[in-house]
């Protein structure tokens, strides 16, 4: 609609648009260096490359906008990135309506009026309740849950599911039946509301959170042994305050101010009166059966999003050999702190011969050495080579005797069976499935949740 508009979109996860195109991003791009480098211009995603601005250099948003405007051909992302993101966007705006849920809840008339006047506040209230800490939960046990009215609220399905599946605070003074869904939801929302209203402190630098924040900075050496009140100390303190102001719950402060403004408006009292006189029989709510999903429906959703996986037959020794070969290839690689980066490699083009029997023997040998009861003492002061030779011979004899007991019946099928069993025992994720991901084999390729065989 606006051909000259350049948009910068971020949330708490950073450049969230790139999540949809993760498989097609250039190797240099990661969450640590994506700040201010991803923008939207003329219906395309634009990425400022290291050729335009070095990754070591800081990039201000104003400079980023100018770079995209004057170098749009160079910054425009590849067609795969564009298509991946636009596929997600084709579901909108209809998906916004599909993702909404209408519910009837029992709320104190004050909160009901606020949500009627400003429905968007529901998001902050739900998140406040679902993220209660122990102290906040304790304070919510005695809140006032009276003078309630039934009212409709429109909420996203995601927030509704969060609210439904977050447990009700225990030991509350109000006896709310488990069968009364309206009251259960209403009480949770009431708790979230009062948490927001009680969290607000006009002077955030006198709050307990700020005092704890400064204390933690002191313990970790942030102030570099500077004396409190000194010039350097004050400079570091100002930086810490600036960071605290930008990060410490600015949303709840904004919500508090908005609620306070609503309550001072004449329309607030009129809305309360209208809610009290409202006919409950005219209220309606959506069916929430969508919260329950069968295994077949889940499989269909996964297939539609990720495609149908071809399950590897455990009887197929060729497949087993490919996996053991790929694992061996993986183990021979070197890595840095970010792990092993696979660029332009094809597992099938890098086949190596792998002797599963020999591999198992090596593992057995290592285990037997580690658990051996033979104690060998080497004196650091000894310079007698003959003694050392004798010790080495004893070690060789011990290894030979141990290796004679190693079974010779290990095959590739056993390797696969062991991997499958490991993945079943480790749950959703663990060492086995993580290693297999690195060689381009997903857990679902080996393990079907509906078939234990």
């Amino acid at each position: 609609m606006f051909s000259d508009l350049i948009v910068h979109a971020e949330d708490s996860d950073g450049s969230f648009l790139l999540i949809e195109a993760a498989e097609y991003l250039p190797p240099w791009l990661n969450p640590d260096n994506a700040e201010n480098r991803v923008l939207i211009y003329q219906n395309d995603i634009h990425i400022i490359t290291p050729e335009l601005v070095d990754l070591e250099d800081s990039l201000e948003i104003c400079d980023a906008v100018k770079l995209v405007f004057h170098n749009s051909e160079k910054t425009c992302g590849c067609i795969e990135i564009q298509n991946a993101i636009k596929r997600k966007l084709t579901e909108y705006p209809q998906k916004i309506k599909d993702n909404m849920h209408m519910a009837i809840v029992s709320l104190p008339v004050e909160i009901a009026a606020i949500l009627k006047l400003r429905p968007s506040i529901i998001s902050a209230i739900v998140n406040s309740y679902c993220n209660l800490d122990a102290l906040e939960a304790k304070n919510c046990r005695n809140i006032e849950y009276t003078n309630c009215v039934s009212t409709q609220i429109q909420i996203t399905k995601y927030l509704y599911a969060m609210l439904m599946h977050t447990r009700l605070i225990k030991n509350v003074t109000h006896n709310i039946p488990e069968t009364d869904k309206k009251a259960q939801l209403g009480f949770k929302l009431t708790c979230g509301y009062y948490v927001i209203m009680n969290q607000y402190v006009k002077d955030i630098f006198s709050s307990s959170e700020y005092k704890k924040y400064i204390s933690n900075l002191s313990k970790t050496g942030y102030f570099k042994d500077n004396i409190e009140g000194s010039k350097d100390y004050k400079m570091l303190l100002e930086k810490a305050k600036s960071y605290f102001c930008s990060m410490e719950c600015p949303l709840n402060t904004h919500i508090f101010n908005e609620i306070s403004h609503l309550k001072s408006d004449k329309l607030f009292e009129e809305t309360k009166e209208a809610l009290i006189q409202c006919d409950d029989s005219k209220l309606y709510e959506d069916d929430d059966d969508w919260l329950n999903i069968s295994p077949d429906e889940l499989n269909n959703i996964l297939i539609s999003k990720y495609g149908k996986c071809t399950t590897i037959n455990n009887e197929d020794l060729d497949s087993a050999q490919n996996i053991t070969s790929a694992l061996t290839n993986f183990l021979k690689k070197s890595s840095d702190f970010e792990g092993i980066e696979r660029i332009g490699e094809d597992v099938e083009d890098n086949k190596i011969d792998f002797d599963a029997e020999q591999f198992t023997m090596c593992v057995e040998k290592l285990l037997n050495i580690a658990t051996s009861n033979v104690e060998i003492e080497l004196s650091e002061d000894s310079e007698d080579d003959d003694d050392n030779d004798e010790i080495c011979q004893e070690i060789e004899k011990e290894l030979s005797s141990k290796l004679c007991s190693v079974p010779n019946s290990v095959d590739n099928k056993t390797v696969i069976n062991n991997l499958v069993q490991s993945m079943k025992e480790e749950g959703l994720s663990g060492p086995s499935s993580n290693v297999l991901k690195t060689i381009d084999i997903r857990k679902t390729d080996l393990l079907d949740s509906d078939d234990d065989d």
Side-chain angles (χ1 to χ4, degrees), residues 31-81:
D32 295 329
N33 58 32
E35 185 177 4
N36 296 339
R37 287 183 179 269
V38 182
L39 299 102
I40 307 167
Y41 178 48
Q42 294 184 341
N43 204 33
D44 284 321
I45 298 296
H46 288 255
I47 301 173
I48 298 174
T49 63
E51 287 74 23
L52 292 172
V53 177
D54 193 272
L55 295 179
E56 301 297 325
D57 299 337
S58 61
L59 179 61
E60 298 297 329
I61 190 63
C62 293
D63 296 329
V65 169
K66 292 176 183 177
L67 282 168
V68 169
F69 186 77
H70 295 293
N71 302 273
S72 58
E73 292 184 3
K74 294 181 181 179
T75 58
C76 190
C78 67
I79 190 65
E80 290 83 7
I81 292 176

Side-chain angles (χ1 to χ4, degrees), residues 239-331:
K239 288 183 178 179
K241 283 184 174 181
S242 176
Y243 180 80
F244 184 80
C245 288
S246 65
M247 299 299 292
E248 182 57 30
C249 203
L251 177 61
N252 280 2
T253 302
H254 168 73
I255 296 297
F256 176 92
N257 291 331
E258 190 167 1
I259 290 174
S260 299
H261 177 72
L262 287 173
K263 291 170 70 173
S264 64
D265 195 318
K266 184 176 70 172
L267 187 60
F268 175 68
E269 294 298 329
E270 295 175 359
T271 306
K272 286 172 60 176
E273 290 298 324
L275 286 168
I276 293 172
Q277 297 174 12
C278 179
D279 184 0
D280 292 356
S281 63
K282 294 182 179 180
L283 301 178
Y284 72 92
E285 61 180 350
D286 296 331
D287 194 337
D288 63 2
D289 282 346
W290 53 267
L291 284 170
N292 306 312
I293 184 168
S294 67
D296 289 339
E297 289 173 324
L298 178 59
N299 284 336
N300 291 334
I301 292 172
L302 294 175
I303 290 171
S304 67
K305 287 187 175 293
Y306 306 109
K308 187 173 178 61
C309 298
T310 303
T311 305
I312 296 177
N313 189 343
N314 287 349
E315 301 296 329
D316 186 356
L317 290 182
D318 290 335
S319 298
Q321 289 170 353
N322 288 338
I323 292 174
T324 52
S325 298
L327 280 171
T328 306
N329 191 28
F330 165 72
L331 291 172

Side-chain angles (χ1 to χ4, degrees), residues 123-134 136-137 162 166 195 199:
S123 175
I125 292 176
V126 171
N127 279 290
S128 291
Y129 180 78
C130 294
N131 295 295
L132 285 179
D133 60 29
E136 290 167 342
M162 277 178 60
T166 302
V195 165
Q199 273 184 350

